Amino acid sequence: MRKVAVVLAVFIPSLLLLFWGFPPTNIVLELRLPELLLSFGFGGSLSAAGGVFQGTLKNPLAEPYTLGTAAGAALGAAVASVFRFPVEWGALVGGLLSVFFIVLSFRVFSDPLSVLLFGVGLTAFFSASILFLYALFPVYTLQEALLFTLGYIMPVKISLSLFLFVVSLVSLALLIFRSRNLDLISLGDETAFFSGVDPKRERFLLFLISSVPVSLFVAYCGVIGFVGIVVPHAVRFLGYRTGKLLLPVSFLVGGGALSLSQWLARTLLYPTVLPAGVITALLGVPLFLYILWRYTGGRG
Amino acid sequence: MVEVRELSLRVLKNISFTVPEGSVVGVVGKNGAGKTTLLKCLGGFYSYSGSVKVNGREIRELPPEERIKAVNYLPQDFYHPFPFTVYEFLSSTTGKRDEEIEEVLCRLGISAFKNRLLNGLSGGEKVKVHLSRLLLIDPEVYLLDEPVAYLDVSVVPLIGELVREISKRGKTVFITSHDVNFLYELCQLFLGLKEGELRLFGSGGELLEKSREIFGVELKAFECNGEIFIKTV
Amino acid sequence: MKRVLFVFFWVVLFGLNGFCFDRVVSLSPALTDIIAYVGAEKKLIGVTVFCSGEVCRGKEKVGGIVNPNVEKIYSLHPDLVIATTLTPKRDVEALKRLGLKVLVFRLVSLEDVVDATGRLGELLGGDGAKGRKLLRRIRRAVLPLSRCLKGKRVVIVISSRPLYVAGSKSYLGEILKLAGAEVVPDTTFSVISYESLVELRPDTVLLVGNGNLYLLARFHVVRVKPADELLHPSPQVLKGIGELRRAVCGK
């Protein structure tokens, strides 16, 4: 039954995104296929990273969006575009720098809520820096900058979208390969250490591997929130609990979720195209609040 | 054999002792005396100064897979925010086969929990699950941090029985607890800590003698119907 | 030599190609106005959702200026898509990848507007002189303005929160300069602080559009309303100049 749910969550959004309105073949190949690869790969990477962030930090509310990795990558991309460097490299540097900050904050604070607040602060700072940068160097219009911080999936070349999709698959494979370590760290540093895993080193590695594709996608699609937080919880709820299952199923469901959001973003107010991040926030925030209530209110 | 030489870290100051194989060692002291820190150091969890050797091998220098078979630790804190079943927990932490896991669960009388979620269990039940993990790995040295703190009275004797059985197989066990009665009955050796200093290394009798120094209160043993009870005076 | 000939051949071919566009999508309301001005509105098939005038009645809507719907545009099978520099490069590139011809115009200065009018007149109406004619008409239209604006220091405010101004290098500033006014600051369009507005010491603050008069109370404010026509960098400004004259000179 749950397998059917996962398969449907993958195929219905993908088919809607590809074939809604039965467009001509070259539209499907030139526009919709890159769009599907981008949104599926991005949603999948976000959700796998969400699962990793939550497990390694023992924090049910962690994901690249809430902890500032996405905003860091976005700032990196913005800086790179101002100085005419490749945006991918800028995003990678920005994303990995924020990973470093978060791991550091985890060592300093150790309590989940403080780490989350630290991430919220980072996100606010990075987003403000992006708008500041655009005000200083108007390479883009303010509206465009705003779309970027809201997560707007723009048309890109098929080769680029394919490359990004492959990167997200490689990262997923590496994560699945290390998924036992993720499970162990989520059970506590002591349990991990006495099961033969160095929790500090492994936490950093897992963070790094999962943040690379997220950062690259952010360079092209901007910051998209709430997919990474809601999807892993939904997948655990379906009974895929250990990392070996949690990560690939999260990737599939997350990919489907963002593809569905992108389809809605394109179809709801046709012909106006909304930022996909607006849809994920509209759908995701109620679920986010439910998770917050369950884990903080319901813990005692 | 566990040899500790000039171990220092945080509160711990210059601790040295040698414990023979097969002993059950009670680690006592007030809150904050360094009991948990000492146990974690024995397991190599912290990078301490000094030396901790198990059967002649320095713990810090062992590769992880040998280290966990030499010493292993039962943690105090069992906060798991994410759902795992007991079976998933045991198989991912130990990597053991199904039958072995079922056998250990049966020995601890928790076979029924196999497919239940870990965070749906009570504190005492969680301790048993974590104990199963240790039993599956079966290290040379068991470090049990407050194993009876969450258990109800009916289960405490079972843990004592288990510890005796483990030590009979030549394994060394270190236990911390605030339940002096439980330790006095179980342990041959005691390590008494006060503000990170080793004030006592000896038998139960010596523990009672030095109780005022270590706990700040006088402890005495009473005999009643052939059983011994410790009480504050 | 052969290569030069080859290139020349293609340039000529493309040049000829330019005269037969008759399915045009415009991604800018201002460019839409220009098309209407050169009399080619029949060739226009798609416009943005921001276009509400007579020209756009019955035309297909193809999304916004910064977020156009590439698929919708393609589905109309246009032979020319025109956009301004406001439309993101990546959308323009996607349209080009689909094999569409896209022309991108910069519409900031008066010269930009005049050039675009000339170019679109040439491409769609066969009349390249429309641009120069537009410039002449604008020159003539501002003449009566100079009576009331000559020698005055003017700041053109487009919105008051934040304070967004059109400077001397914008088409609005250049039009007022033609009327003999001294337009400050020396920029195209920018956001400035109230303090710098005070420092600019304008004789007149020209409020084009809606804005909070209370915030500009210490200045001599002239409000131009309706201002839509003035705000389009297109031949619409001709009508706007009429409004401007009524507002500045009275009657």
Side-chain angles (χ1 to χ4, degrees):
Chain A
M1 192 58 216
R2 58 182 194 173
K3 279 179 192 154
V4 176
V6 172
V7 170
L8 288 182
V10 171
F11 281 98
I12 291 180
S14 305
L15 293 176
L16 279 175
L17 193 64
L18 272 183
F19 299 116
W20 177 255
F22 303 107
T25 327
N26 65 329
I27 284 283
V28 174
L29 292 179
E30 289 272 345
L31 286 179
R32 295 208 177 175
L33 194 60
E35 199 175 323
L36 177 67
L37 289 174
L38 269 190
S39 35
F40 203 96
F42 195 10
S45 307
L46 277 173
S47 306
V52 169
F53 282 30
Q54 287 163 19
T56 49
L57 300 182
K58 289 178 83 176
N59 189 336
L61 299 172
E63 67 143 327
Y65 176 73
T66 50
L67 293 191
T69 313
L75 177 60
V79 171
S81 73
V82 166
F83 294 104
R84 309 204 177 280
F85 284 118
V87 282
E88 301 92 332
W89 291 108
L92 268 183
V93 171
L96 300 185
L97 207 68
S98 63
V99 164
F100 175 75
F101 279 132
I102 292 155
V103 172
L104 202 71
S105 84
F106 183 75
R107 284 196 193 173
V108 176
F109 298 125
S110 76
D111 128 73
L113 207 62
S114 303
V115 175
L116 198 73
L117 285 175
F118 181 81
V120 169
L122 267 187
T123 303
F125 179 76
F126 288 148
S127 307
S129 306
I130 292 171
L131 293 179
F132 181 71
L133 202 71
Y134 281 133
L136 270 184
F137 306 97
V139 279
Y140 295 119
T141 61
L142 192 66
Q143 269 175 319
E144 229 181 311
L146 221 71
L147 283 184
F148 190 62
T149 48
L150 285 174
Y152 183 71
I153 296 177
M154 271 197 212
V156 297
K157 270 191 210 148
I158 180 89
S159 52
L160 175 66
S161 61
L162 204 61
F163 165 73
L164 291 172
F165 192 70
V166 169
V167 170
S168 69
L169 286 182
V170 170
S171 148
L172 178 68
L174 290 173
L175 289 175
I176 294 173
F177 185 66
R178 312 192 84 87
S179 65
R180 176 178 172 248
N181 299 349
L182 172 65
D183 292 340
L184 293 177
I185 294 175
S186 78
L187 290 164
D189 278 16
E190 285 113 347
T191 306
F193 184 79
F194 288 103
S195 302
V197 169
D198 178 354
K200 282 178 185 150
R201 189 176 144 258
E202 199 57 35
R203 178 178 294 119
F204 195 68
L205 258 177
L206 286 166
F207 246 92
L208 223 58
I209 297 170
S210 62
S211 299
V212 167
V214 170
S215 302
L216 288 177
F217 276 109
V218 165
Y220 290 97
C221 308
V223 181
I224 288 179
F226 302 102
V227 176
I229 208 163
V230 172
V231 170
H233 287 288
V235 169
R236 281 191 201 97
F237 181 75
L238 283 178
Y240 300 102
R241 291 174 295 263
T242 53
K244 203 170 59 190
L245 294 169
L246 173 73
L247 296 178
V249 177
S250 290
F251 186 89
L252 293 175
V253 174
L258 190 55
S259 303
L260 186 73
S261 303
Q262 174 61 11
W263 174 73
L264 284 172
R266 216 178 51 196
T267 320
L268 273 182
L269 297 180
Y270 188 84
T272 302
V273 189
L274 294 170
V278 170
I279 306 289
T280 61
L282 281 177
L283 299 177
V285 169
L287 291 166
F288 170 82
L289 293 177
Y290 172 72
I291 294 163
L292 183 72
W293 171 75
R294 250 197 69 188
Y295 279 95
T296 54
R299 195 193 295 167
Chain B
M1 191 164 67
V2 179
E3 290 172 87
V4 175
R5 292 286 166 273
E6 291 171 359
L7 170 67
S8 293
L9 177 82
R10 298 188 196 167
V11 288
L12 298 180
K13 287 166 211 131
N14 225 359
I15 290 175
S16 303
F17 58 84
T18 306
V19 170
E21 248 166 65
S23 4
V24 179
V25 186
V27 181
V28 294
K30 289 208 257 183
N31 284 333
K35 302 189 292 288
T36 296
T37 312
L38 176 63
L39 250 61
K40 285 186 181 173
C41 281
L42 295 184
F45 185 73
Y46 295 132
S47 36
Y48 46 81
S49 71
S51 113
V52 176
K53 284 184 181 168
V54 173
N55 297 337
R57 297 187 300 173
E58 183 68 43
I59 275 303
R60 263 186 314 189
E61 287 157 14
L62 288 178
E65 54 283 8
E66 286 181 39
R67 186 197 69 221
I68 62 170
K69 281 182 198 142
V71 230
N72 218 305
Y73 174 78
L74 178 91
Q76 256 187 72
D77 170 32
F78 304 126
Y79 172 60
H80 308 306
F82 304 112
F84 283 103
T85 65
V86 170
Y87 172 75
E88 284 162 349
F89 171 76
L90 291 174
S91 87
S92 66
T93 48
T94 64
K96 296 285 177 183
R97 280 176 297 125
D98 233 19
E99 306 91 80
E100 291 175 82
I101 291 172
E102 269 170 17
E103 191 206 313
V104 166
L105 290 178
C106 191
R107 250 164 81 199
L108 286 174
I110 49 171
S111 298
F113 292 176
K114 189 184 166 196
N115 290 315
R116 277 184 53 191
L117 289 181
L118 206 55
N119 40 11
L121 301 180
S122 71
E125 290 162 345
K126 278 186 192 167
V127 174
K128 284 189 186 174
V129 173
H130 276 261
L131 259 176
S132 331
R133 178 179 76 81
L134 258 68
L135 287 171
L136 279 166
I137 295 173
D138 200 27
E140 294 304 310
V141 179
Y142 282 68
L143 307 168
L144 310 181
D145 204 355
E146 297 285 353
V148 293
Y150 299 101
L151 296 188
D152 53 77
V153 220
S154 61
V155 197
V156 175
L158 182 94
I159 302 292
E161 213 39 59
L162 210 67
V163 169
R164 273 191 206 99
E165 186 252 330
I166 291 167
S167 81
K168 247 180 234 155
R169 288 191 281 118
K171 314 278 182 181
T172 312
V173 184
F174 287 81
I175 309 179
T176 67
S177 179
H178 289 290
D179 186 344
V180 186
N181 262 310
F182 170 74
L183 292 182
Y184 189 80
E185 200 191 330
L186 193 64
C187 306
Q188 296 102 47
L189 274 171
F190 288 89
L191 288 165
L193 292 169
K194 194 190 180 193
E195 286 158 9
E197 283 173 39
L198 188 65
R199 294 290 176 90
L200 161 78
F201 178 58
S203 66
E206 285 170 77
L207 170 69
L208 297 184
E209 273 170 37
K210 290 197 173 171
S211 58
R212 182 162 284 283
E213 191 185 337
I214 293 164
F215 298 107
V217 286
E218 190 85 32
L219 294 178
K220 272 219 164 116
F222 296 94
E223 208 183 314
C224 177
N225 295 336
E227 283 197 58
I228 296 165
F229 294 94
I230 310 284
K231 280 207 150 183
T232 52
V233 191
Chain C
M1 192 60 206
K2 248 185 191 166
R3 195 181 292 168
V4 173
L5 268 177
F6 184 76
V7 169
F8 182 74
F9 176 73
W10 279 108
V11 167
V12 168
L13 243 174
F14 263 99
L16 288 175
N17 225 3
F19 288 101
C20 45
F21 297 120
D22 44 25
R23 294 180 64 80
V24 181
V25 168
S26 158
L27 296 182
S28 150
L31 289 175
T32 305
D33 291 339
I34 292 176
I35 288 180
Y37 179 74
V38 302
E41 64 262 47
K42 285 211 181 80
K43 296 183 175 179
L44 193 63
I45 53 168
V47 294
T48 65
V49 291
F50 299 108
C51 186
S52 54
E54 190 63 35
V55 201
C56 301
R57 185 162 298 164
K59 312 284 188 199
E60 289 285 341
K61 299 277 196 273
V62 296
I65 301 168
V66 290
N67 54 340
N69 191 322
V70 176
E71 273 184 32
K72 175 83 193 236
I73 295 167
Y74 182 81
S75 74
L76 299 175
H77 301 292
D79 48 20
L80 178 66
V81 179
I82 51 174
T84 59
T85 41
L86 284 176
T87 299
K89 275 200 193 97
R90 242 183 296 150
D91 287 309
V92 171
E93 277 161 18
L95 287 166
K96 283 182 180 165
R97 273 203 302 281
L98 287 168
L100 298 180
K101 186 169 173 60
V102 188
L103 288 179
V104 179
F105 294 91
R106 177 180 181 268
L107 290 181
V108 175
S109 66
L110 192 55
E111 196 190 341
D112 292 337
V113 178
V114 167
D115 284 352
T117 311
R119 187 84 202 281
L120 285 174
E122 197 178 311
L123 289 173
L124 305 173
D127 184 3
K130 284 271 182 186
R132 265 171 289 128
K133 278 183 202 157
L134 173 67
L135 187 58
R136 273 202 300 278
R137 286 181 68 184
I138 290 175
R139 285 224 164 94
R140 217 175 308 133
V142 295
L143 277 178
L145 266 175
S146 63
R147 179 164 53 87
C148 342
L149 280 177
K150 191 151 195 144
K152 282 198 177 143
R153 239 174 122 79
V154 180
V155 173
I156 308 161
V157 173
I158 292 172
S159 84
S160 60
R161 245 180 310 192
L163 194 58
Y164 191 58
V165 299
S168 60
K169 287 175 182 160
S170 69
Y171 69 94
L172 279 175
E174 285 171 332
I175 287 172
L176 288 191
K177 279 198 296 192
L178 287 178
E182 182 195 354
V183 179
V184 280
D186 189 29
T187 56
T188 52
F189 292 93
S190 67
V191 176
I192 64 169
S193 68
Y194 278 89
E195 213 175 293
S196 56
L197 180 63
V198 174
E199 277 166 12
L200 287 172
R201 281 179 286 107
D203 300 316
T204 304
V205 170
L206 208 57
L207 179 58
V208 183
N210 294 316
N212 202 329
L213 280 173
Y214 168 76
L215 293 168
L216 300 168
R218 59 156 69 221
F219 302 103
H220 172 239
V221 179
V222 174
R223 188 172 203 161
V224 188
K225 226 177 165 186
D228 284 355
E229 286 134 355
L230 268 183
L231 289 177
H232 281 202
S234 72
Q236 287 276 328
V237 289
L238 274 175
K239 284 185 209 157
I241 291 168
E243 299 288 350
L244 190 63
R245 195 171 56 219
R246 266 187 292 282
V248 178
C249 306
K251 273 162 233 163

